[in-house]
Amino acid sequence: MKSYSNQRKVSLFFRYLLLTILAILWLIPIFWIVLASFSYNDTGFISTFFPEKWTFQNYIGIFTNSQFPYLHWIIKTLLVAIISATLSTFFQISVAYVLSRLRFRLRKPFLQIALVLGMFPGFMSMIALYYILKGLNMLNLGGLILVYVGGAGLGFYVAKGFFDTIPRSLDEAAELDGATKWQVFTKIGLPLSKPMIVYTALTTFMAPWVDFIFSGIILSTSGDPKTYTIAYGLYNMLSSSKGSATTYFAQFVAGCVITAIPITILFVIMQKFYVSGITAGADNG
């Protein structure tokens, strides 16, 4: 018995040691980025881990730089993320609920096709989407929102697994009392799925906020920096002209730190709902 107890302690020690090492390796780049954003630098890339000279000028400069309107990028990206998250969450939750609670023809083939399509990364379609949006004259923020929302329906599998855990007897009892399918969905399904709604809203908000591929493809043709989102705007800051990478690198790092703050705050505030949503959705998914 004592031997088993010692083995268990040794096993737990090595597990925690491994987790500690992984946490340190994961935190070091983040720690360096935060420190680099406070580093005074007028020669190019930052080569030291700890700043040799501390300054807030990088954060001031990122907002006062007339060539790269960072504040406009934040506003545009926030607008795109909120609209996309709202519509995408509604579509994902609705599709998941229908496929979980209702039985209809071609339901299983649809689930199989959606599963196969979900295995392919979305950026494989970016060239086709570009020409489609170009033909519709929608190479703008509206077209970008359409791309984000259009692919939202295929992300229903986790939400479907969550709805599968809700007892069907609740639906049956409501229908016996005269409730319609829509009333069952709005009065029973939605109130019971708050963790999944939060999880879906967070993931669909985060995707437009940090996306670079689709925003770069769709918005690059405008030539107006004020129409860019944060990810593509920061990239453009370093690649727009010769010498930009060294001139604006410190401001670029400060912009990255600011960009990460809203996502971090959202995850901290809604962590409880996020974890319960993803774990519950994985039960029967």
Side-chain angles (χ1 to χ4, degrees), residues 2 19 28 60 63 67 82 93 100 118 130 146 152 175-176 182 186 195 210 224 230 233 238-239 247 258 284:
K2 187 176 181 180
L19 291 175
I28 284 177
I60 298 174
F63 284 102
Q67 185 178 356
I82 291 176
I93 296 298
S100 173
Y130 170 81
L146 186 63
E175 290 174 359
L176 288 175
W182 176 253
T186 56
V210 300
D224 183 5
I230 292 178
L238 296 186
S239 63
T247 304
I258 297 173
N284 291 336

Side-chain angles (χ1 to χ4, degrees), residues 23-261:
I24 292 174
L25 293 175
W26 182 73
L27 290 173
I28 284 177
I30 299 176
F31 191 52
W32 176 81
I33 289 175
V34 174
L35 290 177
S37 67
F38 292 100
S39 178
Y40 176 80
N41 184 8
D42 58 357
T43 59
F45 293 106
I46 300 170
S47 58
T48 58
F49 189 84
F50 291 96
E52 297 178 352
K53 184 178 179 181
W54 296 79
T55 180
F56 283 98
Q57 188 58 41
N58 297 326
Y59 287 94
I60 298 174
I62 192 68
F63 284 102
T64 57
N65 192 328
S66 58
Q67 185 178 356
F68 303 104
Y70 185 76
L71 185 59
H72 282 85
W73 298 343
I74 292 179
I75 296 174
K76 299 292 185 182
T77 308
L78 185 63
L79 179 65
V80 170
I82 291 176
I83 296 176
S84 299
T86 302
L87 297 177
S88 298
T89 300
F90 174 76
F91 287 141
Q92 282 197 28
I93 296 298
S94 299
V95 172
Y97 182 83
V98 168
L99 293 173
S100 173
R101 316 307 273 187
L102 304 182
R103 296 295 180 267
F104 51 89
R105 192 178 180 185
L106 299 179
R107 174 179 173 274
K108 288 186 177 180
F110 176 82
L111 289 171
Q112 294 171 351
I113 293 173
L115 180 62
V116 173
L117 291 177
M119 296 179 181
F120 296 93
F123 63 81
M124 291 182 64
S125 62
M126 61 183 179
I127 302 301
L129 289 173
Y130 170 81
Y131 282 105
I132 292 174
L133 294 176
K134 183 178 180 180
L136 297 174
N137 196 24
M138 294 188 65
L139 292 176
N140 48 37
L141 292 177
L144 186 62
I145 293 174
L146 186 63
V147 170
Y148 292 139
V149 176
L154 291 177
F156 65 86
Y157 262 96
V158 176
K160 177 185 176 299
F162 179 87
F163 283 117
D164 288 341
T165 64
I166 300 177
R168 293 181 178 275
S169 58
L170 297 176
D171 298 10
E172 296 171 356
E175 290 174 359
L176 288 175
D177 290 336
T180 61
K181 296 291 185 182
W182 176 253
Q183 290 174 330
V184 172
F185 172 61
T186 56
K187 303 298 183 181
I188 298 178
L190 290 183
L192 293 177
S193 61
K194 288 181 180 179
M196 181 51 56
I197 293 176
V198 172
Y199 164 76
T200 306
L202 279 176
T203 53
T204 53
F205 177 88
M206 184 171 60
W209 186 263
V210 300
D211 176 61
F212 164 75
I213 295 177
F214 284 109
S215 61
I217 290 292
I218 295 173
L219 302 178
S220 60
T221 58
S222 68
D224 183 5
K226 291 185 178 181
T227 63
Y228 297 161
T229 57
I230 292 178
Y232 183 70
L234 289 174
Y235 165 79
N236 191 63
M237 176 184 288
L238 296 186
S239 63
S240 60
S241 61
K242 186 178 180 180
S244 295
T246 55
T247 304
Y248 300 110
F249 182 74
Q251 292 185 16
F252 168 82
V253 175
C256 293
V257 173
I258 297 173
T259 302
I261 291 176

